[in-house]
Amino acid sequence: MNAGVNSLIHSLVCLDAAELIYFFEHLATAILEAIIMVNPATNRKNGRRKKVPKQIVAQPANAHPFSALRINGRNPVKHPFPLEETLAVSRGKINTIPALQQVLQTIRIDDDCKQDSKTIIHDLIKNNLIKIMKEKCEIFKKHYRDLAFVGSFYEGLKITDADEFDLNIVMKLPFGAHTPYEVCQVPKAPGHMSIKWDPKYLKKIEKSCSENIRPTFKWVDAQGYLLTNKILQYMESLVAKSVAEYNSELYEEDQISITKNGPALTLWHQSEDISVDLVPAFDFPARDCPPPPFKDPSMYCHPRKNMRWFIVPKPLKQHGLEIAWRLSFSEHEREILYDLGWVKPAIKIMKRIRDIMDWRTPDSYSLKTVALWLLDYGYLTPDDKLDFAFEKMARGLMYYLDKKKLPLFWDPRFNKFEDMNPADCKNKFNFLDKYLRSEKDIVELCELAAEDSEDEDDEFYD
């Protein structure tokens, strides 16, 4: 009982004022519905059922997370910058929708190609590589949970061939499910958190564990913090050995090569011309709230959907931050953007414009972050037609370029544009401003984006 109360208190502490209002309004709804189910007569007067007050009517089961969060016009999270009236979209006599649809036609991926690639990935990674990894390492066999399919392909945001995929190799936290640990902020690394065990307790349980599992105790430092570099070294070594065994039984043209890119190990299947980025990750259930000031991700999906969130070992430039783990809410983001009318097509058109202009920044996740903020603030909506959705996306990006600051959606302390050159921000702002002055200019931009390019490669962006 005490553990449940403590968990509830911790979750409530993570909420801001608007989210607390949302929580208690829906708590009132749940209590009212429970009373009705237990004794329907208590909700009747003169033979008629009382109406539930409008302000606490529960959202339907299929309601979109953003619409479910807006109660009487309130938004759950305050936007870091007030969206000004200068972002207003107007329409003249020229219909830009056909031109925008032409861009979408240019970046459409063949459905058969998608399915063939997914089948190859499933067979290569799940049926072969993971199986070999389990056979070669008792630690991996004990801690492996499953594969999480993440990235632009699985979100429906990829705009090039179905030849690049992102997979998280999800593992259980070491030292057993019942070993208590502490989750903490990392002040010098917004967007990250740390995990810490009691060193004395770890030494105690290390003596009783089997010999082949003891190497996991090297994954933490003297203070009990889980280290990103140790996990990356472990995974890199295991994957390399497993790929070597996989290749030993194949002809050269069917073999897999490995390269390293940040936290990801990139596997390239030569004969199929497909690459897969593998990233080790640990997952947490929806009931576990990440440390503040992170938003509670459960607020952005239906309570019946048990969405996980992840931590991944993304190396940081600063030394001494091996304890910092990047938080990832890929499942929540995919759910948020699911079935949102023309929102995802608008993001894809922006990605196409970026690639045609050979912009290395903003990256794909930054463009998605722009959309998440605009949706959360109510500026971009699922009811927008394609022309409005695209122009709002473009003007929203201009807004953040002008501010030279794009806060991470889940932790606004982290600026996605921190490394962007101010002059670069200004140039991209001016480019978009030039092509958003009239419908004629938008059509011209679409014609530019619809042009074919033999040298296109989305490898650096997705």
Side-chain angles (χ1 to χ4, degrees), residues 150-221:
V150 299
S152 58
F153 177 83
Y154 297 102
E155 291 174 332
L157 291 174
K158 195 154 187 354
I159 64 171
T160 56
D161 294 335
D163 56 0
E164 297 174 355
F165 301 85
D166 300 285
L167 275 68
N168 285 349
I169 300 179
V170 185
M171 299 190 297
K172 305 171 187 175
L173 286 174
F175 317 129
H178 301 293
T179 304
Y181 59 87
E182 183 181 359
V183 173
C184 310
Q185 292 186 38
V186 183
K188 294 182 180 180
H192 296 73
M193 75 178 203
S194 64
I195 300 181
K196 182 181 184 298
W197 289 267
D198 183 349
K200 295 181 180 179
Y201 186 78
L202 292 183
K203 289 181 180 180
K204 180 180 178 181
I205 64 174
E206 182 179 4
K207 297 177 181 179
S208 61
C209 74
S210 60
E211 188 69 28
N212 54 3
I213 298 298
R214 286 187 182 177
T216 56
F217 291 86
K218 296 180 181 179
W219 292 356
V220 299
D221 63 11

Side-chain angles (χ1 to χ4, degrees), residues 287-405:
R287 66 176 180 271
D288 288 351
C289 183
F294 280 97
K295 301 175 186 176
D296 181 356
S298 65
M299 297 289 291
Y300 290 88
C301 63
H302 195 275
R304 294 178 185 173
K305 296 186 177 181
N306 187 24
M307 299 280 180
R308 302 176 294 175
W309 52 279
F310 306 93
I311 56 172
V312 296
K314 189 168 184 177
L316 296 171
K317 295 179 181 178
Q318 305 96 314
H319 293 293
L321 287 179
E322 290 81 9
I323 67 170
W325 290 78
R326 173 70 65 88
L327 275 75
S328 170
F329 302 92
S330 54
E331 291 190 354
H332 298 83
E333 291 163 1
R334 182 163 52 191
E335 177 68 14
I336 288 170
L337 293 174
Y338 176 74
D339 195 22
L340 268 189
W342 292 103
V343 172
K344 283 205 291 188
I347 299 173
K348 293 168 72 173
I349 294 173
M350 287 305 307
K351 291 177 66 174
R352 174 66 174 186
I353 292 170
R354 175 204 60 191
D355 294 356
I356 284 291
M357 298 309 300
D358 198 24
W359 292 351
R360 298 290 164 166
T361 54
D363 61 19
S364 291
Y365 191 77
S366 293
L367 293 177
K368 184 169 70 170
T369 299
V370 171
L372 292 174
W373 276 121
L374 299 181
L375 284 163
D376 195 39
Y377 200 66
Y379 175 67
L380 185 64
T381 74
D383 297 326
D384 287 329
K385 294 183 179 179
L386 177 58
D387 52 351
F388 273 68
F390 164 72
E391 191 169 343
K392 287 179 179 181
M393 263 297 302
R395 292 187 182 280
L397 176 59
M398 286 174 60
Y399 183 86
Y400 291 108
L401 287 170
D402 184 50
K403 298 289 184 180
K404 302 178 184 62
K405 185 175 182 181

